[in-house]
Amino acid sequence: MAAPYLGFLGKVWEQFPQLAEWHDEDPSMLQMWSMDKFIEAGYHNFHAERKQLLHISKLIEKHAQDNAQPLLATFEKIARYKFVEKRYQKLIEQIPKIWVIADYGKTEIKTPPKINLINCKDTELDDVWSVITRGPYGPFGLIAEEYEDGKFRGFFTLNPNVCRYALEVMGKTLGTKFTIV
């Protein structure tokens, strides 16, 4: 897999060229994996659809909830966040901080104080689906880009250096800093 990503993911991919050497299995298998299986794999490239990414996202969100860890999630468009808004308002009861990044234009959205909503309109993050939290070694999570309507390519990584770099690039793009390290 040589330089398959554009924009934001392309920057991460260029910084860590060894990521291309890892597997890209049948995406239908991803929704059968548990968090333990993803952790065992440590890293996994994939091409997937929303259903598979939703499964991985829920596993990461549950980890954040069960371990009272901060969570960052990017949703491309605000309508995608609206789909999980009630779940996130319940998650925030056990999670110290949630950053929600989406292209919400001028839409006004009320969120609890511990949910920080950040607009990514007109940035390279407007096609990114990511869910990142803190694990035993540092930040880990899912980072993907939508390259065609409903089709994504990306990776799950347990490598904190990859996630720290992704968080740093996101922060520079959005003019903020994420404290999931």
Side-chain angles (χ1 to χ4, degrees):
M1 225 191 262
Y5 304 116
L6 305 171
F8 166 72
L9 261 67
K11 288 178 184 174
V12 175
W13 191 261
E14 286 173 10
Q15 187 71 20
F16 299 93
Q18 70 277 18
L19 300 180
E21 299 170 12
W22 295 85
H23 43 289
D24 184 4
E25 295 178 18
D26 175 6
S28 66
M29 298 300 294
L30 295 175
Q31 63 195 78
M32 292 184 227
W33 283 19
S34 65
M35 179 55 79
D36 289 339
K37 177 72 173 169
F38 279 104
I39 288 172
E40 178 186 314
Y43 182 87
H44 185 83
N45 288 321
F46 57 77
H47 285 80
E49 295 180 357
R50 288 190 198 287
K51 189 174 186 177
Q52 289 91 15
L53 295 188
L54 186 57
H55 172 72
I56 300 168
S57 297
K58 285 181 176 180
L59 292 173
I60 296 167
E61 292 163 357
K62 181 161 179 26
H63 175 86
Q65 182 180 25
D66 291 350
N67 294 282
Q69 295 298 324
L71 179 75
L72 176 138
T74 59
F75 288 94
E76 309 127 284
K77 305 292 180 217
I78 199 60
R80 307 256 189 265
Y81 171 67
K82 288 301 217 177
F83 179 71
V84 299
E85 184 175 24
K86 287 182 182 175
R87 187 170 82 234
Y88 270 53
Q89 289 180 353
K90 288 186 188 221
L91 283 173
I92 199 65
E93 293 171 9
Q94 287 85 31
I95 294 176
K97 176 83 172 169
I98 296 177
W99 293 271
V100 171
I101 300 168
D103 176 355
Y104 58 88
K106 296 179 181 183
T107 305
E108 296 268 338
I109 299 167
K110 302 273 189 219
T111 62
K114 294 192 312 183
I115 296 179
N116 186 1
L117 190 61
I118 301 168
N119 196 344
C120 69
K121 183 175 175 54
D122 298 328
T123 72
E124 62 189 2
L125 298 173
D126 65 2
D127 65 349
V128 172
W129 179 327
S130 66
V131 182
I132 300 172
T133 191
R134 186 181 309 131
Y137 309 109
F140 77 95
L142 155 74
I143 303 172
E145 69 180 358
E146 187 172 30
Y147 65 93
E148 187 177 300
D149 190 32
K151 296 188 186 283
F152 297 82
R153 58 186 162 214
F155 52 87
F156 168 88
T157 185
L158 199 59
N159 184 324
N161 293 327
V162 173
C163 283
R164 280 187 194 108
Y165 183 75
L167 291 167
E168 180 182 315
V169 172
M170 283 182 194
K172 284 181 182 174
T173 300
L174 299 168
T176 192
K177 185 171 178 130
F178 303 107
T179 53
I180 300 182
V181 296

